[in-house]
Amino acid sequence: MKKLSVTSLAMVIFIGVFGFPNIANNFKAVGTSASLMLMIGALIFFLPLCLVMAEFGAYAKDRTAGIYSWIEIGLGKKIAYIAIWSYFVANIFYLPTLATRIPTYLSFVFFGDAEVTNLQTALLGIAALLLALIVGLKFEKQFNKFSTIVGYLSLFVAAIFLVAGIYVYLTGHSSTAITAETFAINIKDKPSLAMILSTFAWIIFAFGGAEICGVYVDKLDNPEKNFPKAILIASATIGIFYVLGILAISTFGTADDFSKVSLVNAVISGYQFMAAKLGLGSWFIRFVAVIYTLITAVALVLWSVALAKSVFSEVPEGTFPEWLTKKDENGVLRNSLIFQTVLALLFIFLTTFGGDKGGALYSKIYDMSTMSFVIPYFFLALSYIIFKKKKHFSPFQAFKNPIIGMFIGSVLLILCLVSLVFSGYDISKTVAEQRGTIELYYGGLLLFLIIGVVIKFFSGKSK
């Protein structure tokens, strides 16, 4: 079997992590100071996290479950199960979100604007999920080459945006003043501090997804050397593009301009603002929309396959119902891929055909699952601390001194806690004022964890 190259895996990581909406949302929240916050987040969270994953990946080069394997190494199977169940909860809702973005981008391709109805979004989203399922079941090995090409296209359109932003700034036509003062993180009062803490907490979410690489470590030649190299290339590229992306977007429009744009449309709208500045025609928007349609379709396949492998490929017998962990003759988790797709289809049906109540129910469940996203990173950091304490040897050592490694793991642990707390709690308000939000986020996390324990209990009992 032909092995993945370093650049191929780097492109997989780039597609899995880099998201233009993260740039637009952070810019409209705190303006150009988001660039400094993203830079800090990249240096103290994303880069160390990637180094930790690189060390684990080189150590466990023959394992295919990625983040589950890495947590299990340090903390054992029970904690790894809690982490991977939280990972599943957070990401199963991401699949229909990705699928239903594709119709919006296609609308820009054919009509130059977002003119797609709810029914059309649902039908095309369903088609996208089914196509991703077929690719995951039949063509995953051949798909790697295509995903690499699309990864380069993703880099290309992002680079166009950055270069155009530099040009607009140098020619004196920036929509937002960019000075040393604009980068400052101003903490004038308690509400502004709350906004900064909340934005920084959500920035950690923007850097999520690099763990997708873990399920491909066994597909690399010389993974001890090439796996860390791919992660470092991808992490540096993503960090630079995020930071410069804030600066570029500020030259094309103000934070108020982007506050009027929806999350899905923010991707193409940034390029629309750019086209207006440079006098580019509708052909440019259609071209960008084609690229983002391909990027999203590839991301849908990658996330679907990686989620199934991370959650179901290495768990002990009795963790989940046996049919979910069964592999076919080619090692494909056929049943789990089908199961994930069915769940995603049900979510789309609920929001489209369930009326206002159905849509509200799904939105509430989606919000309840939000905090589950941080749990795997929290346990990964804790696992790394134990890993370094026990002085395990990895062919790639991000931090050769165990004490330094334990310190880095502790910093990641604290940052995960900061994200967990301040992404759902506003320090400028009383608990009574935000009780509904607290109950939704943290009560939802507790509920999903209880559901995971119940599933494991009955699966083990039936076994």
Side-chain angles (χ1 to χ4, degrees):
M1 183 183 73
K2 188 176 180 181
K3 296 287 188 177
L4 277 176
S5 67
V6 170
T7 53
S8 294
L9 185 57
M11 289 302 100
V12 166
I13 299 170
F14 186 83
I15 292 174
V17 177
F18 185 78
F20 196 93
N22 294 320
I23 294 174
N25 286 337
N26 285 301
F27 173 61
K28 67 186 182 184
V30 294
T32 50
S33 63
S35 182
L36 179 58
M37 295 177 70
L38 279 165
M39 185 184 299
I40 294 171
L43 291 175
I44 69 173
F45 179 77
F46 186 54
L47 180 58
L49 181 69
C50 287
L51 287 170
V52 165
M53 290 190 288
E55 188 165 340
F56 269 128
Y59 179 81
K61 63 180 184 295
D62 298 321
R63 301 187 64 171
T64 60
I67 193 168
Y68 171 85
S69 304
W70 305 335
I71 295 172
E72 190 265 336
I73 288 168
L75 299 176
K77 299 182 187 302
K78 291 182 179 179
I79 298 299
Y81 168 75
I82 294 172
I84 208 62
W85 168 252
S86 300
Y87 188 74
F88 179 75
V89 168
N91 285 288
I92 192 61
F93 294 100
Y94 187 52
L95 297 183
T97 300
L98 276 177
T100 51
R101 285 178 185 174
I102 292 174
T104 301
Y105 299 150
L106 285 174
S107 179
F108 277 101
V109 173
F110 293 107
F111 307 111
D113 208 342
E115 297 182 2
V116 61
T117 66
N118 288 339
L119 180 60
Q120 291 169 335
T121 299
L123 294 176
L124 290 171
I126 289 169
L129 282 168
L130 293 175
L131 180 61
L133 174 62
I134 293 170
V135 173
L137 292 175
K138 299 289 186 182
F139 306 107
E140 184 204 346
K141 294 176 182 177
Q142 299 89 326
F143 187 73
N144 291 329
K145 185 175 181 180
F146 180 70
S147 62
T148 303
I149 295 171
V150 173
Y152 282 122
L153 288 174
S154 177
L155 273 174
F156 175 67
V157 293
I160 287 177
F161 194 82
L162 301 185
V163 172
I166 294 171
Y167 171 78
V168 170
Y169 173 73
L170 292 177
T171 54
H173 295 97
S174 176
S175 296
T176 307
I178 302 177
T179 63
E181 288 76 19
T182 62
F183 290 97
I185 301 175
N186 295 316
I187 305 175
K188 299 173 290 187
D189 47 34
K190 205 169 184 179
S192 63
L193 174 60
M195 174 63 76
I196 296 300
L197 287 172
S198 175
T199 302
F200 187 78
W202 285 100
I203 279 175
I204 288 179
F205 285 72
F207 285 118
E211 72 285 343
I212 194 175
C213 64
V215 301
Y216 296 99
V217 64
D218 63 323
K219 294 179 171 59
L220 281 169
D221 274 325
N222 193 11
E224 301 94 332
K225 178 181 178 182
N226 290 330
F227 186 73
K229 188 183 295 185
I231 288 183
L232 293 177
I233 291 171
S235 62
T237 305
I238 291 164
I240 291 169
F241 272 54
Y242 265 148
V243 171
L244 296 182
I246 295 289
L247 301 181
I249 204 172
S250 67
T251 66
F252 302 132
T254 65
D256 287 337
D257 292 332
F258 280 92
S259 67
K260 301 169 186 175
V261 178
S262 69
L263 174 64
V264 177
N265 293 350
V267 176
I268 308 299
S269 294
Y271 289 90
Q272 285 182 316
F273 285 124
M274 170 185 159
K277 279 282 187 183
L278 301 179
L280 301 174
S282 61
W283 64 268
F284 177 72
I285 301 304
R286 295 174 192 270
F287 166 72
V288 171
V290 169
I291 302 300
Y292 270 97
T293 301
L294 291 173
I295 292 170
T296 309
V298 168
L300 181 60
V301 175
L302 292 176
W303 272 106
S304 181
V305 171
L307 182 60
K309 287 184 177 181
S310 297
V311 177
F312 301 110
S313 67
E314 287 190 7
V315 290
E317 290 185 70
T319 302
F320 293 109
E322 188 176 352
W323 59 272
L324 268 177
T325 58
K326 186 178 179 181
K327 298 178 182 179
D328 65 14
E329 62 277 7
N330 296 316
V332 176
L333 291 156
R334 178 179 295 273
N335 293 338
S336 61
L337 283 170
I338 294 172
F339 173 69
Q340 289 177 180
T341 304
V342 170
L343 281 180
L345 292 173
L346 289 175
F347 296 146
I348 292 178
F349 277 115
L350 180 63
T351 55
T352 307
F353 305 108
D356 293 339
K357 290 184 177 179
L361 176 62
Y362 175 76
S363 296
K364 189 170 184 177
I365 295 172
Y366 184 90
D367 288 339
M368 289 170 67
S369 71
T370 302
M371 293 302 171
S372 301
F373 182 84
V374 185
I375 300 301
Y377 298 120
F378 174 85
F379 283 123
L380 180 64
L382 185 57
S383 177
Y384 187 68
I385 294 171
I386 303 300
F387 180 81
K388 298 304 286 187
K389 184 178 180 180
K390 292 183 176 180
K391 297 182 180 179
H392 289 299
F393 177 79
S394 172
F396 170 79
Q397 291 186 301
F399 310 100
K400 292 185 178 181
N401 188 311
I403 295 176
I404 295 176
M406 291 167 65
F407 172 76
I408 295 298
S410 300
V411 171
L412 291 173
L413 197 71
I414 292 169
L415 290 174
C416 287
L417 284 173
V418 167
S419 179
L420 195 62
V421 172
F422 294 111
S423 54
Y425 175 70
D426 188 335
I427 62 169
S428 66
K429 298 178 182 178
T430 65
V431 173
E433 287 179 293
Q434 50 190 324
R435 180 168 294 164
T437 302
I438 292 172
E439 290 176 351
L440 185 68
Y441 283 166
Y442 302 107
L445 174 60
L446 179 61
L447 176 62
F448 280 118
L449 288 176
I450 291 172
I451 291 172
V453 171
V454 171
I455 290 173
K456 189 176 188 305
F457 174 77
F458 283 105
S459 297
K461 193 173 183 180
S462 64
K463 183 65 182 176

